[in-house]
Amino acid sequence: MIAPSILSADFANLAREAAAVTGAEWLHVDVMDAHFVPNLTLGLPVVKSLLKATDIPLDCHLMIDDPDRWAIGYAEAGAHNVTVHVEAAADPVQLAKNLRAAGSKAGLSIKPGTPLEPYVEVLKHYDTLLVMSVEPGFGGQSFMVEVLDKVRTARRLVDTGHLRLLVEIDGGINSDTIAAAAEAGVDCFVAGSAVYDAEDPGRAVEALRALAAASSPHRG
Ligand code: DX5
Ligand code: ZN
């Protein structure tokens, strides 16, 4: 699955930018609050408008403080998946329950420096694990290959039935890095600049998907 990140799109033309990637499985929406990360993007009003403007399921990545309070609104609005950061959540298990009760999938994200092991039990309540492969806050950064160890661990936990979730990766994914991520066991690839800086974003999505498929281990 490919999830283009509109962080690299033209914010004054989001409907058009979504329409440019209709072949994508999800559309990744980066919500930043200038507190959890040193950048400010968009919030619930823009997501509500985007939901009316596209049929692509929205994958909302909340890089915000106090997601226990704010994430639910995105689920209630109709986002397909709402991802919160474990570093910011006070009660991630209750938060996942609330998100699912509101009708969305629940996603948990970990920053590059955050280990996976302490959160395996918590992740039993989640539908997606978003492994950050850059420090969250900005698009166009370089891929941190060392996070692939966490991807491999998560993949093993899923393949052995200990977890049931999609493994998602975010940051620095492009035609040079996607094969290694696919090989490590990623299911869903977020790509911002690699899609929206391309001349034809729709084609860039197809090209990335083909590269990922060619390197994905076969999993029943
Ligand atoms: C970074 C965001 C990413 C960003 C990725 O904090 O979470 O979703 O858009 O951009 P690229 O693909 O350019 O690294
Ligand atoms: Zn993101």
Side-chain angles (χ1 to χ4, degrees):
M1 296 169 61
I2 306 292
S5 166
I6 57 161
L7 184 61
S8 294
D10 177 357
F11 272 29
N13 289 289
L14 287 180
R16 201 175 68 198
E17 297 283 60
V21 295
T22 44
E25 282 78 7
W26 290 353
L27 193 63
H28 186 83
V29 180
D30 288 307
V31 175
M32 303 187 191
D33 67 350
H35 288 267
F36 181 71
V37 289
N39 195 5
L40 184 65
T41 53
L42 53 85
L44 190 52
V46 175
V47 167
K48 284 181 175 167
S49 295
L50 200 50
L51 281 162
K52 288 186 220 149
T54 182
D55 292 330
I56 308 175
L58 296 192
D59 179 35
C60 291
H61 177 194
L62 307 188
M63 286 159 276
I64 62 171
D65 279 346
D66 202 6
D68 304 74
R69 173 173 176 193
W70 299 110
I72 193 79
Y74 295 82
E76 285 168 351
H80 179 74
N81 185 35
V82 178
T83 293
V84 298
H85 268 268
V86 73
E87 303 88 356
D91 187 349
V93 170
Q94 187 57 48
L95 185 42
K97 289 179 184 169
N98 293 348
L99 288 171
R100 284 172 163 181
S104 77
K105 291 185 183 301
L108 195 67
S109 184
I110 52 175
K111 297 205 280 185
T114 302
L116 176 65
E117 280 77 9
Y119 304 109
V120 172
E121 284 306 308
V122 168
L123 281 166
K124 291 189 173 157
H125 300 267
Y126 279 85
D127 304 293
T128 64
L129 165 66
L130 180 64
V131 177
M132 288 306 301
S133 39
V134 298
E135 286 302 333
F138 300 92
Q141 304 182 76
S142 302
F143 184 70
M144 298 169 74
V145 69
E146 58 271 27
V147 307
L148 292 183
D149 283 339
K150 290 189 280 187
V151 169
R152 288 184 200 99
T153 302
R155 178 82 265 145
R156 241 187 342 263
L157 288 165
V158 172
D159 288 347
T160 54
H162 291 87
L163 291 178
R164 273 182 75 163
L165 47 74
L166 288 177
V167 181
E168 195 175 1
I169 197 158
D170 185 6
I173 290 293
N174 57 41
S175 55
D176 294 328
T177 57
I178 196 166
E183 232 163 79
V186 169
D187 299 299
C188 181
F189 305 83
V190 176
S193 48
V195 169
Y196 281 109
D197 290 355
E199 211 154 292
D200 183 337
R203 262 209 206 152
V205 168
E206 301 309 323
L208 287 171
R209 188 187 292 107
L211 285 170
S215 297
S216 277
H218 288 286
R219 299 189 296 270

